[in-house]
Amino acid sequence: MKPISAQLGLIILLVLSILTSCKEEDILVKKPDGNGTVSYFAKASGSGVKKTDTKSIKPLGSVAVEWSAATVYVEKIAFEGKTSHLLDTTIFVGKNINIFNADALTGVIQLPTGAYKNVKVKLFARKSDKSEMAFNLRGTFINTKGGRDSVVVGSSYPFEANLQVPDIIIDSSDKYRVTFNFNLDKVLSDISTELLQTARSYAGKDNSLMYVIWKGGSDEEPFYDQVIANWQTVASVEVSKQ
C-alpha cells in the first residue's frame, strides 16, 4: 500500500502544480482595469481667421470676413458611447471659451477602459449669467465701395452641436484629445456682401459702419434665422490620441 500512497501523493502534487500554474497564467493575461482621460478643446478655423494655420475654401457667394474675435459660452459637454453597456456622462463647463486660442481647454472626463462604438458628443452653449453670449463673433470685410466695415454676429439663445465621433479604444492611462472645430467661413454662408449691407447697422469711426446680426429677444432680426441654420454646420470634431 505504501507504493500506491506515494504514487497517489505524486499525482496530487502534480494536479496542484497544474492548477497553480493556470491561476498564475490567468493573472498574467488579465487586462488591467483603469481609466483613460479625454480632454476637450475648442478652436476657430477658416481662411478668414487670424492666427491659425488652417485653410478652407470660402462658400461661393458669401461675404469674405476677416474674423478677429470669437467666443462660445460652453455650458456642458455630454459623452455617449457603447462598450458592453451604454455609457452616458455629462461634464459641466460653465466657461466663456475664446476659440481663437487653439489650446482653449473646455473640460476633462475620465472614461473606463474599453472599446467605444457609436460615440456621440454634444456641446451645449448658452448665454451665461454674466451676459456672455452663446456665441459672439466680430470681424471686418470690404464693402461694395471698397472701404472696410465691421460685422458682429451673436446670439443669447442656446445652441447645441450634436456630433458623431469615430470609434475609440481606451486602455488604462490613455490620453485622448477631442477638439471642437468651429469653421467660421460657414457662419455667413450664402450671405453676400450686398445682402450683409442691408442688415441693421450703426455708424462707426472714419465713416465706417458696423453691421449687426445679433439676437437677444423676440424681435425679428434680418438674416438671423439663416445664420442659425448655417451655424448647425459650423462645428465639427477631431479626435486624436496623445
Side-chain angles (χ1 to χ4, degrees):
M1 295 299 292
K2 288 183 179 180
I4 296 176
S5 298
Q7 186 177 16
L8 180 60
L10 289 173
I11 293 173
I12 291 173
L13 287 174
L14 180 62
V15 170
L16 289 174
S17 176
I18 293 173
L19 290 174
T20 303
S21 175
C22 289
K23 288 180 180 179
E24 289 177 352
E25 185 178 353
D26 288 343
I27 293 172
L28 290 175
V29 300
K30 184 180 180 181
K31 293 184 178 180
D33 295 326
N35 293 320
T37 301
V38 179
S39 301
Y40 291 101
F41 294 81
K43 71 174 184 178
S45 70
S47 58
V49 173
K50 294 180 179 179
K51 301 178 182 178
T52 65
D53 296 326
T54 305
K55 299 293 182 182
S56 62
I57 299 174
K58 284 187 174 299
L60 295 176
S62 303
V63 58
V65 177
E66 185 178 278
W67 299 104
S68 58
T71 60
V72 177
Y73 187 85
V74 180
E75 178 188 13
K76 58 185 177 180
I77 298 171
F79 176 96
E80 179 182 299
K82 291 182 179 179
T83 53
S84 56
H85 60 280
L86 179 64
L87 177 67
D88 190 351
T89 184
T90 299
I91 59 171
F92 289 88
V93 180
K95 291 195 300 185
N96 200 39
I97 306 298
N98 174 12
I99 60 176
F100 267 44
N101 180 356
D103 292 319
L105 178 66
T106 60
V108 178
I109 63 172
Q110 296 287 327
L111 291 180
T113 56
Y116 290 83
K117 297 182 179 297
N118 300 323
V119 178
K120 296 178 182 178
V121 175
K122 294 182 181 180
L123 182 149
F124 297 87
R126 66 171 179 82
K127 179 181 177 181
S128 76
D129 295 334
K130 298 179 180 179
S131 295
E132 292 162 327
M133 299 298 100
F135 62 89
N136 193 356
L137 317 175
R138 295 175 181 271
T140 60
F141 67 98
I142 304 300
N143 61 34
T144 53
K145 295 181 179 180
R148 184 170 288 276
D149 290 329
S150 59
V151 58
V152 175
V153 182
S155 174
S156 63
Y157 281 83
F159 167 74
E160 176 183 325
N162 190 352
L163 306 169
Q164 192 76 29
V165 179
D167 296 346
I168 58 176
I169 298 176
I170 294 182
D171 291 325
S172 181
S173 300
D174 273 353
K175 293 182 179 180
Y176 277 87
R177 179 188 179 104
V178 176
T179 302
F180 293 101
N181 181 29
F182 294 91
N183 186 345
L184 301 186
D185 283 345
K186 297 183 178 182
V187 174
L188 298 179
S189 292
D190 299 323
I191 297 177
S192 65
T193 303
E194 292 79 6
L195 281 174
L196 180 58
Q197 289 182 229
T198 65
R200 181 161 53 94
S201 64
Y202 300 92
K205 297 180 180 179
D206 303 323
N207 296 320
S208 66
L209 293 175
M210 180 178 68
Y211 294 90
V212 178
I213 304 175
W214 182 91
K215 191 166 184 177
S218 59
D219 293 341
E220 290 294 326
E221 183 69 36
F223 306 115
Y224 177 80
D225 289 342
Q226 186 171 346
V227 166
I228 289 301
N230 291 341
W231 192 259
Q232 305 306 313
T233 67
V234 168
S236 60
V237 68
E238 301 169 1
V239 179
S240 60
K241 188 176 180 180
Q242 297 176 302

